[in-house]
């Protein structure tokens, strides 16, 4: 054997010995289903061979197979041979050789509460759920400590911007010695869509109904209009930038009037016209100044706020279309002109892609 062949052979053997990462997918709604579709498209391809789906669960049912589940058959397996869904079953389902990864495609408080536990047990976590890092500061710290203790990865790209390189950019800037001075942006795809389409003529309530029916907002649109979702996203960005805020430290100005906020979910649709007059007035005032309404999250000098703003038409955050998120980052190297990151901030397919990007990065750590 030649010297070159002798050098290459161990590398080939090592590559052949690599085993796929074992995946547990929690959540089979729109995002979870998009994850399964993407995994199915990779079947038989090099990317697909790096991952083995061994457990799928929603809030009611679960299906496990330690030899691997076919992604395109996982939904049927849940229906035909369901086992009772239990978070206690995750560690046993993932047992085996290779990296173990939980994909959290839920909006579950109970699942988010388990993130730190799994990380400490050596199980990587990839999530689109903002509850883990976007609520209490103590939980955020627990996740960081557990990841360090377990030498595990926490993939959170999909929690803000549906996989846009927002968190990664913040971390890479700081790793290069840069200091983050301010962050501002449109962080809600649903609110972006609403204010990109609102022209002051059509009632805002009709636009909200259209957005809800199209799946751009939550079933109860107050979840979006209240700014609570944006608060969580801003907290995640702020903490990644080194500003450890509590949720109460973010000043949120809700778009939901008091008479709408107190209603049960069943009464919301009929009361949506309460939004119309206040927003028509805001739009008219902005229009006279040649400005545009945008729902903005801001972090500067350690202070954070969320609410509707009237911006000059040439402002970095006034552009965009559809459900685009648009985020500006000011730092040592971006003092005068901010780094601007823009792209779809909502949608099952882009969120699923962001989740699986993180999964592949973790699987490649070896």
């Amino acid at each position: 054997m030649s010297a070159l062949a002798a050098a290459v052979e161990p590398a080939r053997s090592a590559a052949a010995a690599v085993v796929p990462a074992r995946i547990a997918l929690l959540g089979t709604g729109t995002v979870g289903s998009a994850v399964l579709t993407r995994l199915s498209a990779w079947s038989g391809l090099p990317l697909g061979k790096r991952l083995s789906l061994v457990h799928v669960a929603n809030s009611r049912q679960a299906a496990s197979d330690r030899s691997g589940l076919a992604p395109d058959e996982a939904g049927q397996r849940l229906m035909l041979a369901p086992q009772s869904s239990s978070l206690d079953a995750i560690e046993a389902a993932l047992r085996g050789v290779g990296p173990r990864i939980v994909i959290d495609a839920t909006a579950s408080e109970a699942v988010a509460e388990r993130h730190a536990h799994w990380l400490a047990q050596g199980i990587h976590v990839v999530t689109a759920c903002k509850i883990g890092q976007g609520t209490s500061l103590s939980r955020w710290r627990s996740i960081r400590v557990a990841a360090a203790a377990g030498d595990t990865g926490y993939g959170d790209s999909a929690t803000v911007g549906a996989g846009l390189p927002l968190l990664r950019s913040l971390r890479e800037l700081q790793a290069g010695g840069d200091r983050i001075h301010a962050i501002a942006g449109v962080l809600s795809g649903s609110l972006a869509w609403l204010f990109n389409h609102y022209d002051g003529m059509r009632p805002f309530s009709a636009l909200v109904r259209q957005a809800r029916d199209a799946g751009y907002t939550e079933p109860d649109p107050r979840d979006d209009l209240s700014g609570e979702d944006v608060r969580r996203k801003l907290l995640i960005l702020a903490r990644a930038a080194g500003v450890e805020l509590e949720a109460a430290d973010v000043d949120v100005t809700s778009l939901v009037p008091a008479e709408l906020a107190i209603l049960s979910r069943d009464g919301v649709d009929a009361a949506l016209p309460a939004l119309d007059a206040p927003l028509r007035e805001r739009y008219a005032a902005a229009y006279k100044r040649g400005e545009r309404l945008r729902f903005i999250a801001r972090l500067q000098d350690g202070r954070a706020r969320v609410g509707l703003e009237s911006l000059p038409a040439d402002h970095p955050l006034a552009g965009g279309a559809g459900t685009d998120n648009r985020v500006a980052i000011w730092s040592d190297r971006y003092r005068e002109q901010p780094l601007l990151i823009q792209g779809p901030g909502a949608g099952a397919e882009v969120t699923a892609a962001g989740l699986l990007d993180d999964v592949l990065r973790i699987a490649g750590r070896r």
Side-chain angles (χ1 to χ4, degrees):
M1 180 182 293
S2 69
L4 177 59
V8 170
E9 191 61 34
R12 286 178 176 166
S13 298
V18 171
V19 295
R22 302 172 66 78
I23 307 298
L25 172 64
L26 306 183
T28 57
T30 55
V31 172
S33 294
V35 168
L36 290 172
T37 298
R38 197 168 180 84
L39 287 173
S40 180
W42 291 350
S43 295
L45 300 177
L47 284 179
K49 292 177 181 178
R50 295 172 58 187
L51 309 175
S52 176
L53 181 70
V54 298
H55 183 81
V56 177
N58 54 34
S59 61
R60 303 171 304 281
Q61 301 164 308
S64 294
D65 190 331
R66 294 178 63 184
S67 65
L69 292 163
D72 59 347
E73 298 176 0
Q76 187 177 20
R77 287 284 297 270
L78 280 177
M79 291 187 294
L80 296 180
Q83 63 192 60
S84 183
S85 183
S86 170
L87 296 179
D88 294 330
I90 302 300
E91 291 172 51
L94 288 173
R95 191 174 298 127
V97 179
R100 298 171 294 160
I101 305 174
V102 169
I103 301 178
D104 179 4
T106 75
S108 167
E109 173 78 26
V111 174
E113 187 64 31
R114 291 287 184 114
H115 287 184
H117 168 76
W118 287 324
L119 291 165
Q121 299 302 311
I123 299 172
H124 309 279
V125 175
V126 171
T127 182
C129 179
K130 294 170 284 294
I131 297 174
Q133 291 199 115
T135 52
S136 73
L137 189 57
S138 61
R139 178 180 285 166
W140 176 80
R141 287 173 175 159
S142 295
I143 287 171
R144 288 171 58 86
V145 169
D151 191 26
T152 39
Y154 191 77
D156 57 4
S157 298
T159 60
V160 185
L164 289 174
L166 296 174
L167 288 164
R168 186 162 72 250
S169 296
L170 286 173
R171 289 163 180 156
E172 289 179 355
L173 286 172
Q174 293 174 98
D178 212 354
R179 292 175 300 170
I180 308 301
H181 300 306
I183 302 169
V186 175
L187 298 179
S188 167
S190 56
L191 291 173
W193 189 91
L194 286 168
F195 287 105
N196 281 330
H197 286 78
Y198 184 51
D199 60 4
M201 303 292 290
R202 185 182 179 190
F204 190 77
S205 57
L207 205 60
V208 171
R209 291 188 181 105
Q210 182 181 343
R212 181 195 58 201
D213 294 344
Y216 294 141
T217 72
E218 296 297 326
D220 185 341
R222 292 176 299 181
D223 294 341
D224 300 282
L225 298 168
S226 68
E228 184 58 36
D229 177 68
V230 177
R231 182 210 301 263
R232 290 176 176 173
K233 293 175 180 176
L234 184 57
L235 281 171
I236 293 171
L237 291 177
R239 291 165 179 174
V243 184
E244 297 186 9
L245 299 176
E246 284 284 8
D249 296 329
V250 183
D251 182 15
V252 178
T253 303
S254 172
L255 295 177
V256 182
E259 62 268 32
L260 186 56
I262 63 174
L263 296 176
S264 68
R265 181 170 166 176
D266 292 339
V268 169
D269 187 76
L272 283 176
L275 297 164
D276 294 338
L279 284 167
R280 187 165 54 246
E281 291 176 8
R282 293 286 297 271
Y283 181 89
Y287 184 81
K288 288 179 182 177
R289 297 190 297 267
E291 296 181 345
R292 299 174 181 174
L293 295 179
R294 295 292 184 264
F295 199 85
I296 303 295
R298 291 188 181 275
L299 172 73
Q300 187 169 7
D301 300 325
R303 303 180 68 178
R305 70 176 190 271
V306 168
L308 191 63
E309 297 185 17
S310 180
L311 303 177
D314 61 352
H315 190 282
L317 302 179
T323 62
D324 277 3
N325 279 190
R326 195 172 175 92
V327 179
I329 300 170
W330 288 265
S331 67
D332 288 343
R333 69 183 73 170
Y334 298 110
R335 288 182 181 273
E336 301 302 324
Q337 294 292 329
L339 172 64
L340 192 63
I341 300 172
Q342 177 182 338
E349 291 184 2
V350 291
T351 302
L355 285 168
L356 288 173
D357 284 350
D358 278 347
V359 166
L360 290 170
R361 273 192 287 272
I362 289 172
R365 285 174 48 164
R366 304 296 173 185

